[in-house]
């Protein structure tokens, strides 16, 4: 690795994951630097989502470890991993469909402020002015103010994704993991999301993005890792990756 | 603008509480025309109302369907009767012990059952409740007096009472500093607990804790990835609702100081589920309405017999009358469960949100026409008034 390890905030160290006889991930060694946007690309079935699931604790690696901010995440529960500052946006939005949009965005702020459990059943939601204000500002930012009292389940797919992103941002995570944040979005929505993600980048939040859309990847990523067959076959700046013949063969098909 | 919304909501809760209290306290008046204003039935209204709103904190908010809540009811009753026997006929210590013990019992059962969700959770609670029933019925006979049920006896120590009150002949009646807990005073005693329980439920519904419980029902995965440890949340909800059931069981013993194992049987657990669904799961007043309807119909329909039916259909020609009486007699008396089943099927099919959904549909029918705006307003409605 050419980078100094001081700035590495997430280190996926020598991770293997097998399902039965299938090697979903082999020898994955990934170092994500603080404040950078790191894209992971690769053809379908390359193991991108498996990798993300290992990081957030949904899957336990067969071998190896994930270290975040000096803490070993391997073996921790999803809520514990979130509590150390890792938030995740899913490929299919995971939201609270029965709660209002505003409540969806408020809930993560409670987890951030009160920890993983607090027995506050005699206080009133109405008295949480600070969290409500933050949530309303966030909704303003992503353009969902008008829908704040609607049930989140009745939002359009694109709006759900934006709201899920907003939910993660409410926690000011140190690391944000995005699993195809623009999949299924219109060109317009995609561009809005790119702008939003660029804004977060300016705030210095570290991001790992899994993405199919090369337009999104090349407009956001500082660094790209290319995954194919469960291995990292190339890594570098967008320019390096774009010009790497191995990558063109495996993934871009020479189109770029 | 936003703040106005906030205040109007809490004012709305206050209004609901005031109206609810008036309705409950005025039960002896407005039940007169329905022929249901007798103390025994009204005590049941209050007690089963407490049971249903407590159950709703678990089922309505977290979505965990317990099929074993009758166990906590039973524990509450047995504890209360034992407190009467050992310490005092005053209902307050009996209720305190009933709530604490059923809460501990709920902690134990919930700790194990909540390791699973969905149908497996329901089956686990059902299994625990049936085990409790069988324990109470046979194994624990020294404590529960088995088949006969636990009763007061002349030789009970009642250490506190014997210090302050002169022993009277015959079996004592539970009394709240001299007020006997039967009849109308007994009803009002229970009614105060119903209002108190309703108030606490309102607070839970409007609290961040309540929102987290709804979040668990809505999407448990998101809760975990948002940094919430859902287990303590569900366990707390389980224990709180178990304590409500214990309170209800304790009040049963207060108004009628005996406790039997049949109170813990699975049919009793099923009845609680029916009440909640019939009234409206996840709504504040729905479960109370469901409890009242079931208890009302249980009393009215089960008291009908053939002669009542003959009087009712006396105006019909002889042959037809015989046929109609024959037909309807299947649905009354012992067969009132058939009526309950039919009503339940109809409600679940046409009003999945229970009576409260029916109420909401009627009000929207009168207040506004169709159209997109209406649809949106409806969504707003469910947001600002989850309490309904």
């Amino acid at each position: 690795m050419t980078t100094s390890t001081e700035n590495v905030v997430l280190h996926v160290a020598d991770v293997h994951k097998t399902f039965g006889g299938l090697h979903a991930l082999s020898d994955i060694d990934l170092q994500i630097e603080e404040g950078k946007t790191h894209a992971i690309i690769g053809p379908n079935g390359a193991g991108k989502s498996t990798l993300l699931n290992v990081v957030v604790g949904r899957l336990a690696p067969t071998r190896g470890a994930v270290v975040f901010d000096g803490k070993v995440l391997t073996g921790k529960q999803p809520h514990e991993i979130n509590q150390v500052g890792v938030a995740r946006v899913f490929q299919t939005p995971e939201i609270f469909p029965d709660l209002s949009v505003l409540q969806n965005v408020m809930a993560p702020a409670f987890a951030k402020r009160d920890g993983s459990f607090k027995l506050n059943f005699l206080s009133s939601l109405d008295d949480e002015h600070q969290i409500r204000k933050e949530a309303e500002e966030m909704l303003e930012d992503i353009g969902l103010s008008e829908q704040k009292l609607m049930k989140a389940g009745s939002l359009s797919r694109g709006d759900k994704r934006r709201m899920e992103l907003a939910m993660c941002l409410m926690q000011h995570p140190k690391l944000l993991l995005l699993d195809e944040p623009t999949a299924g979005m219109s060109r317009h929505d995609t561009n809005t999301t790119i702008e939003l993600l660029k804004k977060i980048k300016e705030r210095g939040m570290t991001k790992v993005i899994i993405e199919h859309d090369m337009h999104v990847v090349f407009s956001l990523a500082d660094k790209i890792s290319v995954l194919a067959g469960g291995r990292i076959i190339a890594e570098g700046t967008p320019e390096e990756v774009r010009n790497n013949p191995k990558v063109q063969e495996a993934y871009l098909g020479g189109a770029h | 603008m936003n703040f106005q919304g906030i205040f109007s909501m809490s004012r709305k809760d206050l209004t609901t509480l005031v109206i609810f209290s008036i309705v409950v306290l005025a039960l002896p008046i407005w039940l007169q025309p329905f022929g249901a204003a007798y103390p025994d039935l009204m005590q049941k209204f209050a007690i089963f109302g407490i049971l249903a709103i407590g159950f709703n904190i678990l089922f309505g908010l977290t979505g965990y369907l317990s099929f074993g809540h009758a166990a906590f009811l039973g524990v509450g009753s047995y504890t209360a009767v034992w407190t009467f026997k050992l310490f005092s006929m005053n209902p307050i210590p009996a209720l305190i012990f009933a709530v604490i013990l059923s809460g501990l019992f709920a902690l134990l059962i919930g700790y194990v059952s909540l390791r699973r969700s969905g149908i497996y959770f329901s089956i686990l609670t059902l299994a625990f409740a049936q085990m409790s029933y069988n324990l109470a019925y046979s194994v624990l006979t020294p404590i529960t007096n088995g088949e006969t049920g636990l009763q007061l006896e002349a030789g009970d120590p009642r250490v506190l009472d014997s210090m302050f009150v002169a022993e009277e002949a015959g079996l004592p009646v539970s009394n709240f500093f001299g007020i006997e807990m039967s009849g109308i005073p007994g009803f009002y005693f229970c009614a105060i607990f119903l209002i108190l329980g309703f108030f606490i439920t309102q607070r839970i519904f409007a609290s961040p804790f309540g929102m987290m419980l709804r979040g668990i029902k809505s999407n448990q995965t998101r809760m975990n990835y948002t940094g919430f440890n859902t287990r303590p949340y569900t366990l707390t909800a389980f224990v709180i609702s178990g304590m409500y059931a214990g309170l209800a069981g304790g009040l049963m013993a207060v108004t009628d100081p005996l406790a039997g194992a049949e109170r813990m049987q699975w049919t009793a657990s099923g009845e609680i589920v029916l009440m909640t669904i019939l009234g409206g799961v996840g709504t504040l007043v729905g479960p109370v309405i469901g409890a009242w309807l079931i208890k009302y119909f249980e009393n009215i329909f089960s008291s009908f017999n053939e002669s009542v039916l003959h009087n009712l259909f006396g105006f019909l020609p002889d042959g037809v009358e015989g046929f109609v009486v024959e037909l309807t007699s299947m649905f009354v008396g012992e067969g009132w469960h058939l009526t309950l089943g039919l009503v339940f099927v109809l409600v679940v099919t046409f009003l999945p949100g229970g009576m409260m959904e029916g109420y909401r549909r009627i009000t929207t029918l009168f207040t506004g026409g169709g159209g997109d705006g209406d649809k949106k307003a409806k969504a707003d409605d469910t947001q600002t008034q989850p309490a309904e």
Side-chain angles (χ1 to χ4, degrees):
Chain A
M1 284 283 128
T2 50
T3 52
S4 75
T5 45
E6 257 174 55
N7 297 329
V8 170
V9 65
L10 178 74
H11 187 188
V12 178
D14 193 28
V15 160
H16 287 247
K17 178 70 194 175
T18 53
F19 295 108
L22 176 78
H23 292 268
L25 296 173
S26 325
D27 304 321
I28 300 288
D29 203 279
L30 202 61
Q31 308 205 17
I32 313 285
E33 288 171 61
E34 196 169 358
K36 294 285 164 62
T37 300
H38 196 123
I40 295 169
I41 62 171
N44 280 328
K48 306 186 294 289
S49 290
T50 309
L51 178 57
L52 217 51
N53 283 333
V54 167
V55 174
V56 295
R58 195 175 230 189
L59 292 173
T62 314
R63 205 175 78 207
V66 178
V67 181
F68 170 74
D69 210 16
K71 301 174 195 81
V72 179
L73 295 190
T74 325
K76 282 207 162 83
Q77 298 280 323
H79 71 263
E80 294 171 311
I81 292 177
N82 174 279
Q83 287 287 347
V84 298
V86 181
R88 172 176 182 179
V89 172
F90 287 79
Q91 202 172 341
T92 27
E94 292 279 1
I95 57 162
F96 305 117
D98 306 318
L99 301 188
S100 73
V101 172
L102 184 64
Q103 287 180 330
N104 264 271
V105 180
M106 283 171 78
F110 282 105
K112 172 85 175 176
R113 190 192 70 188
D114 300 337
S116 59
F117 174 69
K118 192 182 179 198
L119 187 59
N120 45 357
F121 71 96
L122 290 180
S123 68
S124 171
L125 261 185
D126 296 347
D127 299 333
E128 304 287 354
H129 301 297
Q130 182 60 32
I131 283 178
R132 190 181 167 113
K133 193 166 142 269
E134 275 173 43
E136 279 174 345
E137 282 166 7
M138 178 61 74
L139 288 173
E140 193 76 46
D141 275 359
I142 60 163
L144 283 176
S145 274
E146 283 190 16
Q147 289 98 320
K148 70 176 179 189
L149 295 181
M150 268 172 72
K151 269 195 181 182
S154 57
L155 288 179
S156 74
R157 197 177 143 86
D159 284 349
K160 278 182 193 158
R161 289 181 153 268
R162 283 224 301 280
M163 190 190 74
E164 194 190 20
L165 182 59
M167 290 164 74
C168 292
L169 295 180
M170 281 298 283
Q171 298 190 313
H172 307 288
K174 288 182 204 146
L175 174 66
L176 180 62
L177 305 169
L178 301 126
D179 196 349
E180 302 198 24
T182 64
M185 274 193 188
S186 68
R187 197 82 240 167
H188 172 76
D189 280 351
T190 304
N191 287 331
T192 329
T193 308
I194 291 174
E195 286 314 310
L196 189 63
L197 291 172
K198 274 187 176 160
K199 246 200 270 176
I200 313 166
K201 190 173 160 186
E202 283 157 16
R203 289 189 214 158
M205 193 181 289
T206 314
K207 292 194 298 294
V208 174
I209 298 189
I210 285 181
E211 186 55 74
H212 268 301
D213 189 332
M214 287 306 122
H215 169 62
V216 178
V217 171
F218 287 115
S219 25
L220 287 173
D222 299 306
K223 203 170 172 189
I224 297 175
S225 297
V226 185
L227 211 59
R231 286 172 190 280
I232 294 174
I233 60 163
E235 201 168 63
T237 63
E239 209 49 42
E240 287 165 5
V241 167
R242 203 199 297 259
N243 298 327
N244 188 326
K246 251 164 82 184
V247 177
Q248 290 180 356
E249 190 192 326
Y251 185 60
L252 300 172
H256 252 285
Chain B
M1 193 182 92
N2 302 324
F3 291 102
Q4 212 177 16
I6 293 168
F7 287 124
S8 67
M9 193 179 148
S10 55
R11 189 176 297 154
K12 193 184 166 333
D13 268 1
L14 189 66
T15 318
T16 313
L17 181 66
V18 170
I19 295 175
F20 182 80
S21 310
I22 293 171
V23 168
V24 170
L25 295 174
L27 274 173
I29 300 165
W30 67 264
L31 279 181
Q32 295 276 5
F34 298 97
Y38 51 98
D40 278 9
L41 184 57
M42 289 192 298
Q43 287 165 6
K44 276 188 187 160
F45 274 24
I47 291 170
F48 282 91
I50 293 171
L51 187 60
I53 52 177
F55 181 73
N56 190 45
I57 292 172
L58 179 71
F59 181 43
L61 289 181
T62 71
Y64 278 77
L65 174 57
S66 161
F67 238 95
H69 256 50
F72 310 125
L73 190 78
V75 169
S77 283
Y78 282 120
T79 313
V81 175
W82 268 111
T83 317
F84 288 148
K85 285 165 88 72
L86 296 178
F87 301 110
S88 164
M89 290 308 293
N90 189 313
I92 298 298
L95 291 179
I96 291 173
F97 283 124
V99 169
I100 291 175
L101 222 70
S102 54
L104 288 175
F105 197 57
L107 186 68
L108 190 76
I109 291 183
Y111 183 79
V112 180
S113 306
L114 286 165
R115 296 181 167 267
R116 293 285 173 269
S117 60
I119 185 76
Y120 302 102
F121 167 79
S122 304
I123 296 295
L124 277 171
T125 51
L126 176 64
F128 276 118
Q130 278 305 91
M131 277 158 61
S132 313
Y133 164 71
N134 282 312
L135 285 175
Y137 196 78
S138 54
V139 184
L140 294 179
T141 302
I143 301 174
T144 62
N145 205 16
E147 230 178 306
T148 331
L150 190 62
Q151 289 162 350
L152 299 177
E153 280 158 39
D156 289 335
R158 284 192 287 281
V159 285
L160 287 175
D161 284 358
S162 59
M163 280 191 279
F164 300 111
V165 191
E167 191 78 29
E168 286 172 43
L171 284 179
V173 182
S174 61
N175 65 86
F176 182 60
F177 302 110
I179 307 167
E180 288 197 357
M181 288 294 107
S182 58
I184 290 287
F187 158 70
Y188 276 110
F189 187 75
C190 298
I192 284 162
F193 281 99
L194 174 61
I195 293 166
L196 195 70
F198 185 80
F199 170 70
I200 293 172
T201 314
Q202 269 188 319
R203 294 306 303 253
I204 292 176
F205 269 58
S207 69
F209 176 77
M211 184 171 92
M212 303 323 162
L213 296 184
R214 283 201 190 89
I216 289 170
K217 182 180 185 178
S218 198
N219 186 346
Q220 182 137 202
T221 310
R222 186 23 101 192
M223 282 300 278
N224 288 326
Y225 285 95
T226 300
F228 290 109
N229 190 2
T230 50
R231 191 75 62 75
Y233 279 100
T234 46
L235 187 57
T236 310
F238 194 87
V239 171
I240 292 175
S241 82
M243 288 162 91
Y244 269 79
L247 175 66
L251 284 170
M252 280 182 186
V254 167
T255 52
D256 185 12
L258 56 89
E262 76 290 338
R263 220 163 259 182
M264 301 171 109
Q265 222 173 354
W266 69 273
T267 46
S269 295
E271 195 183 51
I272 306 170
V273 181
L274 289 189
M275 287 170 177
T276 314
I277 293 177
L278 194 66
V281 181
T283 63
L284 261 176
V285 289
V288 181
I289 293 174
W292 290 359
L293 280 176
I294 287 188
K295 283 297 143 191
Y296 177 73
F297 285 118
E298 180 188 73
N299 274 267
I300 299 306
F301 283 110
S302 63
S303 69
F304 276 22
N305 53 30
E306 293 228 349
S307 66
V308 177
L309 289 175
H310 276 293
N311 282 337
L312 203 62
F313 296 110
F315 62 92
L316 294 168
D318 265 358
V320 183
E321 189 205 323
F323 176 72
V324 171
V325 168
E326 193 74 15
L327 192 74
T328 46
S329 65
M330 295 195 308
F331 292 90
V332 297
E334 292 279 289
W336 89 272
H337 280 110
L338 207 55
T339 318
L340 178 64
L342 270 178
V343 171
F344 191 70
V345 168
L346 289 175
V347 166
V348 170
T349 313
F350 296 106
L351 286 176
M355 292 295 156
M356 288 314 290
E357 190 182 325
Y359 168 76
R360 209 171 295 140
R361 281 194 201 172
I362 291 169
T363 45
T364 41
L365 201 71
F366 284 110
T367 51
D372 282 348
D374 184 49
K375 211 171 180 180
K376 203 172 169 185
K378 218 170 151 189
D380 288 3
D381 215 46
T382 49
Q383 146 58 20
T384 48
Q385 327 175 346
E388 288 264 316

